[in-house]
Amino acid sequence: MTRLLLIGPPGAGKGTQAERLSSAFDVPAISTGDIFRFNVKNDTELGLQVKAFMDAGAYVPDSLTNAIVSDRLQQPDATKGFLLDGYPRTQEQVLELDRLLEADGDALDAVVLIVADTEEVVARLLKRAAEQGRADDTADVIRHRLSVYEEQTSPLIDVYSSRGLVVTVDGLGAVDEVTGRILAALTGRGLSVPVTSVPVTSVPVTSVPVTSVPVTSGDAASAS
């Protein structure tokens, strides 16, 4: 079994590497953002709950996000391992993930931290914004987004570093090179990487969507 957490700033290629690692270790890539978007787009019960917070400009509360992840980790394809992308994002979510894994006698194997030069990331995101016609994504907006990322993830990185779980990888360079660095770092931690996974080709990952998670009263008050 392989249980990984992937952390990286916008524009560092985290999504691409999530797909590749998912393929390499034959585990599902679980993105809370993807689950949210799927359900909002399809007007599911969960989607309506999430949309209500988004429309109000509020964070989706930890209680709802935790319920989503708990449900997803109980799906059959996640019993042999998983790669988490976008969760946990708060210290309360870290504790909840600990509880979920400990209940089954499990724990994270590693936390992959992808780092990249800020100026390079800004340049990448500006180019992407121009290609996609997103005029609102200015350099100032992107820098603010990166600042928020640093503020949110620093406490999590500190927690996982204190547990000796973090492997830091340079996210700049060719996609294959970055994948190779990550796999080498994980191998150095004793994780067994299938020989056939190198080099890894980009394979789309289909996440099993969560369609309904009940929200108890008071959840909104726990938004963070």
Side-chain angles (χ1 to χ4, degrees):
M1 290 187 179
T2 303
R3 305 173 193 84
L4 302 173
L5 167 60
L6 188 61
I7 299 176
K14 182 164 60 75
T16 297
Q17 295 304 326
E19 291 180 358
R20 289 175 157 234
L21 293 174
S22 170
S23 177
F25 289 100
D26 192 25
V27 296
I30 299 173
S31 164
T32 51
D34 287 347
I35 295 173
F36 286 165
R37 284 186 288 273
F38 175 91
N39 285 278
V40 169
K41 179 180 179 180
N42 290 279
D43 292 326
T44 66
E45 180 183 343
L46 170 62
L48 294 174
Q49 296 169 29
V50 170
K51 189 174 185 299
F53 288 105
M54 294 171 63
D55 288 348
Y59 287 109
V60 177
D62 282 351
S63 54
L64 177 54
T65 305
N66 289 340
I68 290 168
V69 173
S70 175
D71 184 277
R72 181 63 183 88
L73 293 182
Q74 294 175 37
Q75 300 291 336
D77 67 330
T79 58
K80 61 182 178 181
F82 54 78
L83 184 151
L84 287 172
D85 174 8
Y87 180 95
R89 290 199 176 192
T90 68
Q91 295 193 58
E92 173 55 37
Q93 290 177 7
V94 170
L95 295 176
E96 179 61 20
L97 180 59
D98 286 345
R99 287 191 286 268
L100 290 173
L101 295 178
E102 288 170 1
D104 294 325
D106 297 328
L108 284 174
D109 294 302
V111 175
V112 178
L113 173 62
I114 298 178
V115 297
D117 177 74
T118 299
E119 295 308 312
E120 178 64 25
V121 168
V122 171
R124 283 186 183 183
L125 293 177
L126 283 174
K127 180 180 178 182
R128 184 187 302 174
E131 292 172 346
Q132 298 178 355
R134 298 204 309 265
D136 291 340
D137 272 5
T138 64
D140 287 343
V141 169
I142 291 171
R143 291 182 189 281
H144 175 69
R145 193 182 308 157
L146 292 172
S147 176
V148 170
Y149 161 80
E150 291 288 348
E151 181 181 343
Q152 289 180 338
T153 58
S154 289
L156 309 185
I157 294 168
D158 289 343
V159 169
Y160 287 123
S161 292
S162 70
R163 301 180 186 182
L165 290 174
V166 176
V167 294
T168 304
V169 178
D170 182 1
L172 296 182
V175 172
D176 285 344
E177 292 177 358
V178 177
T179 304
R181 291 174 200 151
I182 296 174
L183 293 177
L186 293 175
T187 300
R189 284 192 53 84
L191 273 69
S192 177
V193 181
V195 176
T196 55
S197 69
V198 185
V200 183
T201 56
S202 182
V203 178
V205 178
T206 302
S207 297
V208 177
V210 181
T211 56
S212 178
V213 178
V215 181
T216 57
S217 60
D219 278 351
S222 67
S224 59

